[in-house]
Amino acid sequence: MAISRDVTTTVRRRARGAARRLRVAGRVLVTGQGAPAGAEAAEVTAVPAQGSADPVYFGWTRYSAHFTDDKGLAFKASKRFKDESAYLDHLWSPERMTARDQIFLDLAVPVLQRWTERHDYRHVVTYSPEMPEPWIGRLRAAAERYPVLSLHPVEDGGINEIVRRTLEAERPGSRPVVWLRVDDDDLLSLDFIDVLDGHVRSHGPGWAVSLSKGLEAVYHEGRVTHLRGRHYVLGALGQAVVGSWDAEQGTLDLPRPGNHMTVDTRLPTVLDSRRATFAYLKHTGQDSRTTKPPTIEELVATHLRNTAVVRHPHNVLPRFPTLADVYDPEG
């Protein structure tokens, strides 16, 4: 039977479209991309694997910690400071720490604590015991107020070692183990783990997940302004890696993602950009390659010039309750 040219063309067009959507099959599973700023998709749903145990989640923040390694002191990497003392003066200076202290302890941690109401979540904070006051005192006071925080000096090692020792001490049953990095000047949404949880239960150990839609804004003197939408594919913020804990063997298999921008070359990766799940806050104390801190005007011109204004903040901000408290639409 002859097949018409129109039918053949249609079939080929659909095949090409499917090929484009699956061009990175086995590396990235795309579950949604590019909704307009302020637009939100439906809740993510997933069917858990039958008999699977609930995942345990570990967030990790390196709280302006001073590390040394086989390659030399950390300050050498910056190429900005003549010696270690000058580097530490900068690392813990009020100009650099004030915004980070406020963003992490006042805006981020209360949300992390609320995650524990629905999920087995704990947040590891690596810090330097020699960090001066008031920063070290504020951090320890926050850990007393918010049990979600688990403080670890740099000598305790990286996240894999901390997770392994934690699970060995608690001895839970076999289950998926998930870790995500959270910088000390970033925010995640109230439903971040809810969204992530669906993917963890659907795909399991050995996968990475990149929740790639979020917000971007300027933080200055306790206020958030210039709210924008952000589509950040494979960014560090919003990325998680799924491993597993074998209770019988007492072993942890927790893959390290390496460079977050190329994680999909090492692990199969879910990419989900359906709803805003992070807020990337810009401030004058951010680390940069220059010796002069950026001004607010420079932050806006450099980081926000190509991003879309969030036209309906009231649709998004309820999932970022602490950000909503300090958002200034007139700023």
Side-chain angles (χ1 to χ4, degrees):
M1 182 177 65
I3 301 176
S4 72
R5 180 176 300 177
D6 288 345
V7 172
T8 302
T9 300
T10 299
V11 170
R12 287 176 176 171
R13 185 183 299 117
R14 290 176 177 174
R16 287 196 299 269
R20 283 195 299 270
R21 289 190 295 273
L22 297 174
R23 65 187 180 278
V24 285
R27 295 201 311 138
V28 177
L29 174 64
V30 180
T31 59
Q33 294 189 47
E40 291 298 315
E43 291 285 349
V44 174
T45 58
V47 179
Q50 293 297 319
S52 63
D54 290 334
V56 56
Y57 292 91
F58 289 83
W60 187 32
T61 295
R62 293 176 290 186
Y63 193 65
S64 294
H66 176 43
F67 290 91
T68 59
D69 54 33
D70 294 338
K71 298 180 180 178
L73 295 173
F75 80 87
K76 292 183 179 179
S78 69
K79 300 180 181 180
R80 291 173 49 190
F81 305 97
K82 61 181 181 180
D83 55 34
E84 184 180 11
S85 177
Y87 167 73
L88 293 178
D89 286 343
H90 163 76
L91 183 68
W92 297 322
S93 66
E95 293 77 16
R96 183 181 178 279
M97 286 296 299
T98 298
R100 295 169 184 274
D101 174 272
Q102 294 170 351
I103 293 171
F104 184 60
L105 299 182
D106 298 337
L107 302 184
V109 173
V111 174
L112 303 180
Q113 182 62 49
R114 290 187 61 181
W115 288 355
T116 66
E117 298 170 4
R118 293 172 55 85
H119 302 279
D120 186 356
Y121 179 84
R122 64 284 308 277
H123 197 85
V124 173
V125 180
T126 298
Y127 73 102
S128 297
E130 65 270 26
M131 176 185 283
E133 295 288 357
W135 321 121
I136 190 69
R138 287 257 300 160
L139 179 62
R140 287 171 172 159
E144 292 181 1
R145 181 179 180 185
Y146 298 105
V148 67
L149 295 183
S150 177
L151 304 189
H152 290 265
V154 292
E155 291 78 11
D156 281 0
I159 187 64
N160 283 51
E161 182 63 18
I162 293 171
V163 170
R164 182 185 63 78
R165 289 202 306 266
T166 300
L167 295 177
E168 283 180 346
E170 297 180 359
R171 305 196 65 82
S174 298
R175 64 191 58 239
V177 179
V178 185
W179 83 270
L180 54 140
R181 192 185 91 189
V182 183
D183 288 345
D184 55 13
D185 49 5
D186 294 328
L187 294 179
L188 296 173
S189 66
L190 195 59
D191 60 348
F192 180 91
I193 299 294
D194 296 335
V195 177
L196 178 60
D197 193 69
H199 295 304
V200 170
R201 294 175 185 272
S202 296
H203 298 92
W207 281 74
V209 180
S210 177
L211 304 183
S212 299
K213 183 181 178 183
L215 307 175
E216 197 165 36
V218 170
Y219 180 87
H220 185 61
E221 296 182 346
R223 294 187 308 147
V224 169
T225 61
H226 300 85
L227 191 64
R228 303 286 192 271
R230 177 72 185 266
H231 187 206
Y232 190 8
V233 176
L234 298 181
L237 184 57
Q239 192 171 121
V241 176
V242 187
S244 62
W245 165 254
D246 186 325
E248 292 185 6
Q249 300 296 323
T251 56
L252 173 69
D253 182 7
L254 191 59
R256 295 301 301 269
N259 186 322
H260 61 85
M261 293 301 297
T262 57
V263 63
D264 58 305
T265 66
R266 291 174 294 278
L267 299 173
T269 302
V270 176
L271 177 64
D272 187 350
S273 306
R274 285 179 285 189
R275 56 196 289 115
T277 54
F278 64 80
Y280 194 15
L281 299 184
K282 303 294 182 178
H283 56 88
T284 57
Q286 274 180 311
D287 296 325
S288 66
R289 297 181 182 274
T290 64
T291 57
K292 181 182 178 182
T295 65
I296 296 299
E297 292 73 21
E298 289 170 341
L299 287 175
V300 174
T302 302
H303 296 285
L304 304 181
R305 66 179 184 273
N306 295 322
T307 52
V309 174
V310 177
R311 301 191 181 281
H312 304 288
H314 59 275
N315 291 338
V316 181
L317 288 178
R319 298 203 319 282
F320 296 86
T322 55
L323 188 151
D325 290 342
V326 297
Y327 174 57
D328 181 2
E330 303 300 325

